[in-house]
Amino acid sequence: MTKRLPTSVLDELSARYAVEIWKDPSGPSAEEIALHAASCTAIISQPTDRVDAALLDRTPELRVVANVAVGYDNVDVPAARERRVIVTNTPDVLTDSCATYTWGLILAATRRIAEGDRLVRRGAWHGWAIDFMLGCELVGRQLGIIGMGRIGQAVAAKAGAFGMQVAYVPSRRGDREPLRAPDGTPYRPLSLDELLVTSDIVSLHVPLGPETHHLIDAKTLARMKRSAFLVNMARGPVVDEAALAWALREGLISGAALDVYENEPSVHPDLFDLEQVVLAPHLGSATRETRTAMADLAVRNVLAVLDGRSPLTPVPGSYPPQPR
Ligand code: GLV
């Protein structure tokens, strides 16, 4: 276990297996993981740990990597599959938490909440004024969701509460019927370009992979409305951070809110000077309840695999293992 976990099922795991927990909260280096996991049958990893072919070559006993996150771009799934190592993640338990946080970011950006907080703290507030720090309304506007998976759909489901219409980019498989809101209202399926051109808020919820790396770059940012806001709750490299800083500085878009960054915990320095971007420290799923549920699910996945049962939440392509 590469970091301590807030799990209630640890006792069950340690009663039956030898569990080594890395105590330093900054986590082990790649070399330290490889040394300590050399004879392990399971690794419980976090998004900050890289589980790649080089590591997997040094862990011949390994049967499962349980990643405590819904995203698993830190794990080389094809390399694990080749070595018959099952990879699991923690979907569902964090969906609502991430969707709620997305709305927090949308509100923070459009109503300038973080910016206002900074202003008050530095003693720069001189009282109520009719034209002071004006934001923009959400009602009647379009929320464009890129990545209409579990979290994207949960974000969309809350849009009605703010009077927003939802547009989304259908998955490649081609959804015949448009996805619908809980009250039956159909969402608008659009091409990526149509969505960028027409949306007032563009919210990213795609997994990171070769197809989504820098999906938002100078070219796509230039397609957005000048009044629009970008929200990134997916993974940092989905957005070209330097291009985003440029687009904000030049007024190509009105604002942004980021929970994730290209080189965490580093943030592109140009973003610090831009008041119109909200910078959050990767907190999408960060509630006590959700983080405990994620940790519990990861441990239960390990118990299932080591007990010879099916994992609860294997990532696509990881289970069942390939025949030898
Ligand atoms: C965190 O970013 C996650 O993927 O769960």
Side-chain angles (χ1 to χ4, degrees):
M1 196 179 284
T2 59
K3 281 181 189 161
R4 279 183 195 279
L5 289 184
T7 170
S8 53
V9 280
L10 184 59
D11 287 351
E12 197 184 327
L13 187 68
S14 19
R16 298 176 39 214
Y17 298 97
V19 179
E20 186 186 352
I21 305 174
W22 191 262
K23 302 273 175 350
D24 177 352
S26 59
S29 65
E31 181 57 23
E32 285 162 338
I33 299 179
L35 287 174
H36 287 259
S39 59
C40 284
T41 47
I43 295 178
I44 301 185
S45 60
Q46 305 209 2
T48 41
D49 305 314
R50 185 137 298 285
V51 180
D52 54 15
L55 171 62
L56 293 166
D57 281 339
R58 295 173 67 184
T59 53
E61 307 296 323
L62 198 61
R63 291 170 56 197
V64 55
V65 175
N67 203 42
V68 191
V70 66
Y72 48 88
D73 47 283
N74 58 310
V75 182
D76 186 337
V77 177
R81 187 172 161 79
E82 272 169 31
R83 293 159 180 79
R84 296 174 57 80
V85 173
I86 296 167
V87 180
T88 66
N89 66 342
T90 60
D92 301 316
V93 291
L94 47 54
T95 299
D96 198 65
S97 184
C98 292
T100 303
Y101 199 80
T102 304
W103 279 100
L105 291 183
I106 293 172
L107 295 170
T110 56
R111 299 305 300 272
R112 306 173 68 173
I113 294 173
E115 185 186 350
D117 179 275
R118 287 192 293 274
L119 176 129
V120 172
R121 284 173 199 273
R122 65 173 182 267
W125 185 38
H126 305 300
W128 192 92
I130 196 113
D131 56 354
F132 178 57
M133 277 198 98
L134 305 184
C136 67
E137 295 291 347
L138 296 178
V139 67
R141 301 261 157 84
Q142 178 173 294
L143 168 66
I145 297 186
I146 303 177
M148 202 55 154
R150 284 173 288 244
I151 296 173
Q153 289 190 48
V155 172
K158 296 181 195 294
F162 297 98
M164 294 194 81
Q165 279 94 51
V166 173
Y168 69 104
V169 182
S171 69
R172 276 262 184 79
R173 277 159 270 137
D175 309 317
R176 291 230 182 89
E177 281 294 309
L179 295 170
R180 288 174 189 274
D183 69 359
T185 309
Y187 300 138
R188 284 180 83 191
L190 296 177
S191 70
L192 176 63
D193 191 60
E194 285 167 340
L195 181 136
L196 292 170
V197 168
T198 58
S199 294
D200 300 291
I201 311 284
V202 173
S203 197
L204 304 173
H205 302 281
V206 284
L208 174 62
E211 289 175 11
T212 56
H213 184 267
H214 284 190
L215 179 72
I216 301 299
D217 58 8
K219 226 167 115 195
T220 39
L221 284 161
R223 299 294 291 156
M224 288 174 64
K225 291 184 177 183
R226 290 181 91 87
S227 56
F229 289 79
L230 177 75
V231 177
N232 188 6
M233 281 286 291
R235 281 289 183 265
V238 175
V239 175
D240 177 342
E241 251 169 56
L244 175 64
W246 163 79
L248 288 165
R249 220 174 22 243
E250 298 298 321
L252 258 68
I253 64 170
S254 273
L258 308 177
D259 190 40
V260 287
Y261 303 88
E262 284 197 78
N263 297 300
E264 295 180 15
S266 297
V267 174
H268 194 289
D270 291 0
L271 293 173
F272 290 125
D273 295 331
L274 297 166
E275 288 287 0
Q276 66 275 44
V277 59
V278 177
L279 303 174
H282 204 149
L283 294 180
S285 62
T287 63
R288 260 181 244 293
E289 297 88 333
T290 295
R291 288 285 166 86
T292 303
M294 291 163 67
D296 287 355
L297 180 54
V299 172
R300 290 204 167 94
N301 270 310
V302 168
L303 282 166
V305 174
L306 297 188
D307 289 352
R309 290 179 280 118
S310 303
L312 286 83
T313 51
V315 309
S318 159
Y319 187 80
Q322 279 180 337
R324 282 197 197 279

